[in-house]
Amino acid sequence: MAVGGFAPGVVERLGYYVYLLIDPRDGKVFYVGKGTGNRCFAHLAEARKTQADTVGEYAKLRHIRNIEATKEPVRIDILRHGLTEDEAYRVESTAIDALGFERLDNRDLGHHATRMSIDQINGQYGSSPVIIDPIRRVVLIRINRQFSYGMTACALYEVTRQWWKIGPRRRDSGSGWAPQWAMAVYASVVRAVYRIEGWSPDPKGSGRWAFEGTRDPDMEAFYLYGDVTGYLRGANARYASQNPLRFVNCGPGKATDSSDSSA
């Protein structure tokens, strides 16, 4: 088996391809990737020349080192080849979906990951506008850049809870300015509702905060997969606020954006 690259003349005939890194000890795929040229061999070279946190200690590299420590070679299979770049992205994300993201060392779901549960499909295409009860103090947190379909409940919680610029009055549970619930929002649709139990400062000293909380099934019965577009408008109704935080029923009793988060 070639360990540094393909045989002469092969690369020119492959085009874009999708490859699998396989643990020879149990035959299980532990990484799915796409590339051209000798890309599929690059992970082996990187694992051999780096250690610990030099590159963040990706699980993929650690897995490769563990295999090679047994003197076994990592197995590389080409799943599909002769693809365009866009086709390779789609095959890659489909393979990750099929194998199970949680079982792999990949750090993301791929550029075209679209695997959704029935509830998510309904939420994406059949969501209806919701009205948040005036007695519920809520912060809507838009996670458009961090969200991906198929992400775990833990990952969804982590990207929703941190790190936000939010003032002391918003964090004081005894204040009418403080939200009691946080709603994770992607594409104007509620993806989860958390009851806020407290706030913790960023240990790096950024001045930002993260909430501590738990999923609230009672609130989700009313608001999960609901459309909150109406609450995401800025002071000028023709434009949507670009701020990721939107406070509802907090303070003056109406939706306010995070321009007053220092309150």
Side-chain angles (χ1 to χ4, degrees):
M1 170 184 172
V3 294
F6 291 106
V10 172
V11 165
E12 292 78 5
R13 305 181 67 179
L14 283 179
Y16 279 93
Y17 59 85
V18 175
Y19 59 91
L20 311 174
L21 301 186
I22 301 171
D23 191 327
R25 298 170 294 183
D26 56 17
K28 293 182 178 179
V29 176
F30 65 90
Y31 185 82
V32 179
K34 72 155 245 323
T36 58
N38 287 308
R39 171 58 183 165
C40 60
F41 299 98
H43 307 292
L44 309 185
E46 187 177 13
R48 292 166 189 159
K49 73 181 181 181
T50 61
Q51 292 293 327
D53 291 330
T54 307
V55 289
E57 183 60 348
Y58 297 158
K60 164 192 64 184
L61 301 183
R62 185 169 60 249
H63 204 142
I64 290 170
R65 295 187 194 107
N66 289 341
I67 293 170
E68 294 192 335
T70 69
K71 307 303 181 183
E72 290 273 1
V74 174
R75 176 178 151 195
I76 304 175
D77 283 4
I78 303 301
L79 181 64
R80 291 288 186 277
H81 67 279
L83 306 171
T84 65
E85 184 176 23
D86 188 65
E87 289 171 338
Y89 275 127
R90 294 182 184 279
V91 172
E92 177 193 40
S93 61
T94 299
I96 292 171
D97 279 345
L99 290 167
F101 177 68
E102 68 282 355
R103 298 185 180 92
L104 300 171
D105 291 340
N106 289 70
R107 299 207 304 163
D108 58 62
L109 291 165
H111 287 69
H112 290 289
T114 55
R115 180 176 177 175
M116 303 183 203
S117 68
I118 295 299
D119 285 341
Q120 289 170 333
I121 285 287
N122 287 335
Q124 183 72 14
Y125 300 111
S127 61
S128 300
V130 295
I131 298 176
I132 299 174
D133 191 320
I135 68 171
R136 308 294 188 190
R137 299 198 307 273
V138 170
V139 58
L140 305 177
I141 302 179
R142 282 181 284 184
I143 53 171
N144 290 347
R145 293 184 179 181
Q146 300 95 336
F147 181 85
S148 61
Y149 291 108
M151 68 193 307
T152 66
C154 180
L156 178 58
Y157 172 60
E158 289 300 322
V159 300
T160 305
R161 64 184 290 266
Q162 61 186 345
W163 295 101
W164 308 112
K165 184 178 180 181
I166 186 165
R169 194 154 51 170
R170 295 293 193 194
R171 304 192 309 268
D172 180 0
S173 61
S175 166
W177 290 80
Q180 300 163 297
W181 289 274
M183 295 184 180
V185 176
Y186 171 71
S188 299
V189 174
V190 176
R191 309 293 171 165
V193 183
Y194 305 95
R195 178 180 287 275
I196 297 174
E197 298 169 348
W199 293 86
S200 300
D202 182 357
K204 295 182 180 179
S206 68
R208 296 178 179 270
W209 296 73
F211 70 81
E212 307 290 341
T214 54
R215 289 286 285 265
D216 190 326
D218 293 333
M219 285 284 282
E220 289 189 345
F222 290 99
Y223 302 113
L224 191 63
Y225 302 122
D227 184 344
V228 291
T229 300
Y231 292 98
L232 299 177
R233 300 295 182 184
N236 186 329
R238 292 179 300 169
Y239 302 99
S241 170
Q242 297 302 304
N243 216 307
L245 302 186
R246 189 77 173 158
F247 295 92
V248 180
N249 303 326
C250 298
K254 61 180 179 179
T256 54
D257 66 27
S258 60
S259 61
D260 64 351
S261 62
S262 61

